[in-house]
Amino acid sequence: MVITVLFFASLADAVGTRELSLAHVAGDTVASVRDRLIAVHPQVSEFTETLLYAVDEEYADEDAPVPAGATLALIPPVSGG
Amino acid sequence: MLIRVTPERLNPEEAIEAVRRDEAGAVDVFLGIVRNTNKGRAVDHLVYDAYPSMAEKTMRELAEEALARFDLTDSAVLHRTGRLEIGETSLLVAVSAGHRAATFEAGHWLVNEVKRRVPVWKKEVWADGEEWIEGPESLGMERAPATMRGS
């Protein structure tokens, strides 16, 4: 099974894509998926200080579980309005 | 309840009609407008990115919270995406209630919460460059070191 990772705005520009798939590992959390992502796309680490995360469209803490088949969104500081 | 994230032009009349009720003596409407300048720099246009499904979900949760918190009769929250020119409407919030005080308070609260939580981003485009804006009021910036929150 896989995890879908979504990027937006400045982070999508930095990574060069809006979406990618990663293999799911048993016990995955937001932090563990993010750290595997940083190994492939080190530029993500420049965003982590202000980055928020959403698992299946709900804001989630770094230690929240990411189940197989889930969508993890990496959310830079929002600026709507 | 009218909730929408859309690349189409926002129509205030649609939101007003969506929240109008016979028992509601007041409707408050807020329009967020694309301004021609920011921090002393001339803005040519804005480009809005969004996570549309989560943005609509978050807007609906906020609208429902506003209904309960301020005793509204109904609410509408719409955000536009894509390229917006100066003077166009990026955000449209309308709320109705029995009396005006609740609508003013609820409209103020809803706009603030939208800017804080809804996954939408604006990019400023100038004559000589562009930059994604990090909202100073956003939930993400609340975690940032003080030096990053200067603006």
Side-chain angles (χ1 to χ4, degrees):
Chain A
M1 283 295 276
V2 298
I3 299 159
T4 302
V5 184
L6 303 181
F7 307 93
F8 300 94
S10 53
L11 190 52
D13 287 354
V15 175
T17 185
R18 294 179 67 80
E19 180 173 339
L20 57 77
S21 295
L22 286 181
H24 180 259
V25 175
D28 257 337
T29 62
V30 167
S32 72
V33 175
R34 178 203 55 209
D35 292 346
R36 283 212 300 291
L37 202 59
I38 288 175
V40 186
H41 296 285
Q43 59 274 47
V44 172
S45 65
E46 292 163 26
F47 291 80
T48 51
E49 215 156 34
T50 55
L51 207 52
L52 297 181
Y53 307 91
V55 177
D56 292 331
E57 301 178 0
E58 282 288 344
Y59 282 114
D61 293 332
E62 295 194 8
D63 55 4
V66 179
T71 297
L72 171 66
L74 275 58
I75 301 188
V78 302
S79 55
Chain B
M1 189 175 293
L2 175 63
I3 305 292
R4 188 187 302 152
V5 172
T6 174
E8 306 294 326
R9 190 181 289 258
L10 302 180
N11 176 6
E13 203 60 38
E14 182 192 4
I16 292 167
E17 292 313 312
V19 303
R20 187 191 292 274
R21 293 286 180 286
D22 288 351
E23 67 272 28
V27 172
D28 177 66
V29 182
F30 173 84
L31 306 181
I33 307 288
V34 178
R35 194 175 56 220
N36 67 0
T37 176
N38 192 28
K39 295 179 184 162
R41 193 163 186 176
V43 174
D44 183 78
H45 66 273
L46 297 181
V47 178
Y48 282 87
D49 189 14
Y51 181 5
S53 55
M54 181 175 167
E56 287 189 349
K57 181 170 187 242
T58 310
M59 282 155 50
R60 183 171 300 279
E61 287 166 358
L62 292 173
E64 279 167 1
E65 188 176 341
L67 287 188
R69 198 184 261 252
F70 299 99
D71 198 20
L72 300 177
T73 44
D74 207 347
S75 61
V77 183
L78 299 90
H79 207 300
R80 192 162 160 203
T81 58
R83 176 175 170 146
L84 273 76
E85 307 300 332
I86 305 303
E88 289 196 290
T89 302
S90 53
L91 173 64
L92 169 52
V93 172
V95 295
S96 61
H99 301 281
R100 69 183 183 280
T103 67
F104 290 143
E105 273 186 61
H108 188 194
W109 182 87
L110 253 179
V111 172
N112 284 351
E113 290 302 310
V114 165
K115 293 178 79 77
R116 199 165 158 257
R117 298 185 62 89
V118 174
V120 173
W121 301 265
K122 65 166 77 80
K123 180 168 69 177
E124 280 184 15
V125 182
W126 317 300
D128 58 349
E130 57 181 44
E131 183 179 42
W132 286 103
I133 303 303
E134 296 190 328
E137 303 153 65
S138 66
L139 208 48
M141 286 305 260
E142 288 176 9
R143 302 170 51 233
T147 50
M148 291 183 67
R149 285 186 258 121
S151 59

